[in-house]
Amino acid sequence: QVQFVESGGGLVQPGGSLRLSCAASELRFNFYAMGWYRQAPGKQRELVASITFGGSTNYADSVKGRFTISRDNAKKTVWLQMNSLKPEDTAVYYCNLAVRSLWGSWGQGTQVTVSS
């Protein structure tokens, strides 16, 4: 079962930036589309960005123009560059397969808090 380890979260002021990293346990899963998800208190987990093996990306409307997802297959790593952060971006961020039926186990996530 593929497992993921997220890192890079923290406390940042509005307008600031963070770069999240996701390390996957199995190289073969790099051939699947990967996604970054987030879950805010009292909210359901939502997909905010995804990237295919070929590099095609998609973003939730709420983060378009501010977030950039990228991947390095050799390093089994997916990143999420987060710029112009807003308080509403505050959530625990997770990585996993972008297709629900292909999800591996969820990691612990990394907390992102945007506050002045």
Side-chain angles (χ1 to χ4, degrees), residues 2 19 21-22 24 26 39-40 56 75 80-81 92-93 103:
V2 65
R19 186 172 184 253
S21 296
C22 169
E26 298 182 27
Q39 187 168 25
S56 297
K75 295 182 178 180
L80 185 67
Q81 179 66 47
V92 178
Y93 285 72
W103 279 347

Side-chain angles (χ1 to χ4, degrees), residues 15-76:
S17 298
L18 286 172
R19 186 172 184 253
L20 308 183
S21 296
C22 169
S25 64
E26 298 182 27
L27 178 63
R28 63 187 178 93
F29 280 90
N30 287 337
F31 289 92
Y32 294 87
M34 292 292 298
W36 278 98
Y37 301 78
R38 68 185 181 189
Q39 187 168 25
K43 304 291 185 180
Q44 293 188 343
R45 183 181 291 112
E46 63 173 338
L47 178 66
V48 298
S50 64
I51 183 169
T52 68
F53 176 79
S56 297
T57 59
N58 278 290
Y59 300 92
D61 289 340
S62 59
V63 306
K64 285 182 179 178
R66 300 188 298 118
F67 291 9
T68 302
I69 187 171
S70 59
R71 69 192 300 169
D72 186 325
N73 293 331
K75 295 182 178 180
K76 299 182 293 183

Side-chain angles (χ1 to χ4, degrees), residues 97-116:
L97 281 297
V99 178
R100 184 185 182 118
S101 63
L102 299 178
W103 279 347
S105 61
W106 293 95
Q108 296 299 305
T110 184
Q111 176 71 49
V112 172
T113 302
V114 185
S115 176
S116 60

